Amino acid sequence: MTASTTAIERSRLPALTGARFLAACMVLVCHVGIALIPRLGGTRAAGAQRYVEAAGNVGVSFFFVLSGFILTWVSRPDDPARRFWRRRLVKIFPNHLVTLAAALLLMLSASVPITAVNTVPTVFLVQSWIPEQDAVINYGGNAPSWSLACELLFYLSFPLLLRVTRGIRPGHLWRWLAGTAVLIALVPLVAGLLPARPTMPLTNDHWWAVWFTYYFPVTRLLEFALGVLTALLVMRGRRLPFGVVPALALAVVAFVAGANLPGVYDRVAATSLPLALLIGALARADVADRVRVLGSRPLVRLGEVSYSLYLVHYLVVAYGPIGAVHPENWAKPVSLAGAFGYGVLTLAISLVLAWLLYTCVEAPAMRRFSRPRPPKAADRPAETAPQPSAPGT
C-alpha cells in the first residue's frame, strides 16, 4: 500500500489531535505569563517573558498550519464547497458566540466598557481586518477570537486553494513549499516599510508592522497554505527530511532563536516552516502507528476539546483567580510558587469549562447542523424510499 493510499484511507491522526492540546496550552501559558511575570520582579523573570510570549505566537501558528494540513488530509474530491463551508461555520460560530456572550456578561460584572467598536466587529469575526493601535477592536470581547477572523478567510479560500495546489506536480511540491516559507519570512521585511507611528502602548512596537505581520488575515493565509502543501507532500508519498524527533528538535531551536529576533521577526518568520515539517513528520508516524504518547487516549480527548479550551482560557485569566482584567492586580507581588499555583488553577478551571463547552455546545452543534438534514420519507420519490440500514451505520 502506498503512502498516499494510506493517507486517504486513514483520516484520523491521533497524534496531531493530541498535539492540538499542547498548542492550546502554549497559548494559555502565554496569557498566564503575561499577567504574572511582571508581578514576579527581577531581571530573570523579565527575560523569561520573551519566551512566554513566543509560546503564544508558536501555538497560534501551529493551529494555522495544522488547519491547512488537516483540511487537505480529510478532503474529498466530491465534497461541494457549500457543504464544506457549512461544516466549518458550524464548527466556529456556536462556541464563538457562546464565549462572546460570556465575555460580555463578565465585562458588565467587572465594569469594563462595552461599545459597538469593541463588540460588533468581533460578533461577525472581522476584527482582524481592522488595524487599530490600542487593540480595542482586535481584542474586543473574547480576545483569542481574533484568530477566528483569520480562520474564516482560510475556510473561504480553501476550495480554490486546494484545487490549485492539487494541480501541482508531485516533483514540484517542495519548490512551492519553500517558496511559501520564503514569502512568510519576507512579511516582516514588507511590514518594515509601513509607518513607524503610532506605537503600541506598553511594548512601544510599531503598530502597523505588528498588525500586518500577526493579525492581518491575508498574511496569515500563507501559514495555512504551508499546511496544505505539507499535507499534499505526505499524501503523495514525497520524502520528508526529518523524522519526529529531529523535526521536534528543529522546532525547539527555531522557537528559541525566533524569540530573540528583533522587531516583528520574532512572531512567525522563524517557526512556520519547522512547524510544518513537524506536523508532516507526526502525520507520517501516525499513519505507521509509531506515535504513542501524543496519540494516547487521554491526550486525544484533550485535543478534541482544544478549540473550546482556546476560547475559554482567556476569560479565566482575565476574570478568574488571576484577575488580569483589574489594573490594581498588575502591581501585586507574587512568588514563583504562587505564580505556578495560579497557572495550574487557571488550567484546571479552563479545562472544566472547555469540557462543558465542548459537550453542551460544540459537539451537539456539529452533530445537528454540520450536515444537511435528509429529506422526509413523504418527500422522497417512491424508488428512493428508505431502505433498512446496514449494520453499524
Side-chain angles (χ1 to χ4, degrees):
M1 183 179 291
T2 65
S4 59
T5 304
T6 306
I8 292 170
E9 291 182 356
R10 177 174 178 152
S11 61
R12 293 186 62 82
L13 297 169
L16 285 179
T17 302
R20 284 169 50 193
F21 170 68
L22 299 183
C25 284
M26 292 179 74
V27 180
L28 182 147
V29 166
C30 170
H31 290 142
V32 169
I34 289 173
L36 291 178
I37 285 178
R39 295 168 56 181
L40 289 172
T43 56
R44 279 191 174 184
Q49 183 145 344
R50 71 177 63 186
Y51 297 105
V52 168
E53 292 176 358
N57 298 339
V58 169
V60 171
S61 188
F62 183 90
F63 278 123
F64 286 171
V65 178
L66 182 64
S67 182
F69 187 98
I70 293 296
L71 290 180
T72 305
W73 187 272
V74 302
S75 64
R76 300 186 304 271
D78 60 344
D79 190 21
R82 185 170 59 180
R83 189 180 301 170
F84 166 79
W85 289 328
R86 176 191 178 110
R87 288 197 305 270
R88 301 324 299 171
L89 291 178
V90 170
K91 173 72 174 178
I92 281 185
F93 269 96
N95 275 13
H96 161 58
L97 294 176
V98 168
T99 52
L100 177 59
L104 295 177
L105 290 174
L106 290 168
M107 290 168 70
L108 283 173
S109 68
S111 300
V112 177
I114 297 175
T115 66
V117 170
N118 67 3
T119 54
V120 173
T122 300
V123 170
F124 297 101
L125 294 179
V126 296
Q127 68 271 44
S128 296
W129 293 90
I130 305 170
E132 197 277 329
Q133 71 179 89
D134 293 325
V136 171
I137 297 177
N138 301 112
Y139 283 170
N142 187 21
S145 65
W146 72 264
S147 65
L148 302 186
C150 299
E151 292 280 0
L152 270 186
L153 175 65
F154 302 167
Y155 299 154
L156 287 172
S157 62
F158 178 69
L160 176 60
L161 181 62
L162 185 62
R163 190 180 310 142
V164 170
T165 53
R166 274 181 170 162
I168 300 172
R169 287 187 288 179
H172 293 171
L173 279 170
W174 270 114
R175 298 178 190 175
W176 281 78
L177 187 80
T180 304
V182 169
L183 288 177
I184 293 172
L186 290 176
V187 166
L189 186 64
V190 176
L193 304 177
L194 298 174
R197 300 291 178 185
T199 57
M200 293 181 68
L202 302 179
T203 63
N204 210 36
D205 291 331
H206 298 169
W207 167 246
W208 278 99
V210 171
W211 171 77
F212 184 78
T213 305
Y214 197 67
Y215 297 103
F216 188 34
V218 173
T219 53
R220 301 311 296 261
L221 181 63
L222 292 170
E223 292 155 84
F224 180 78
L226 199 66
V228 171
L229 292 166
T230 305
L232 291 174
L233 276 168
V234 176
M235 294 170 70
R236 294 179 178 179
R238 310 305 295 180
R239 184 178 178 84
L240 294 177
F242 304 112
V244 173
V245 174
L248 178 60
L250 178 63
V252 171
V253 170
F255 165 77
V256 174
N260 289 279
L261 290 176
V264 291
Y265 285 92
D266 65 342
R267 294 175 183 263
V268 179
T271 55
S272 56
L273 180 58
L275 289 176
L277 295 176
L278 176 59
I279 288 169
L282 282 171
R284 288 185 67 90
D286 241 345
V287 169
D289 197 24
R290 294 199 306 266
V291 184
R292 301 300 180 188
V293 178
L294 282 177
S296 63
R297 182 171 296 181
L299 271 179
V300 169
R301 289 296 295 162
L302 290 169
E304 289 171 351
V305 303
S306 61
Y307 172 50
S308 295
L309 176 63
Y310 178 77
L311 286 182
V312 303
H313 81 273
Y314 188 82
L315 300 180
V316 181
V317 173
Y319 301 97
I322 295 174
V325 74
H326 300 293
E328 62 269 20
N329 290 335
W330 300 350
K332 290 181 179 178
V334 64
S335 66
L336 184 60
F340 181 78
Y342 274 130
V344 171
L345 184 58
T346 298
L347 175 60
I349 296 172
S350 299
L351 282 174
V352 171
L353 294 176
W355 178 81
L356 288 171
L357 184 63
Y358 176 81
T359 303
C360 300
V361 178
E362 182 179 342
M366 290 296 291
R367 286 195 299 266
R368 172 64 179 81
F369 297 109
S370 64
R371 294 180 180 179
R373 298 180 69 178
K376 295 179 180 178
D379 298 332
R380 298 179 184 177
E383 64 271 16
T384 59
Q387 300 297 317
S389 298
T393 61

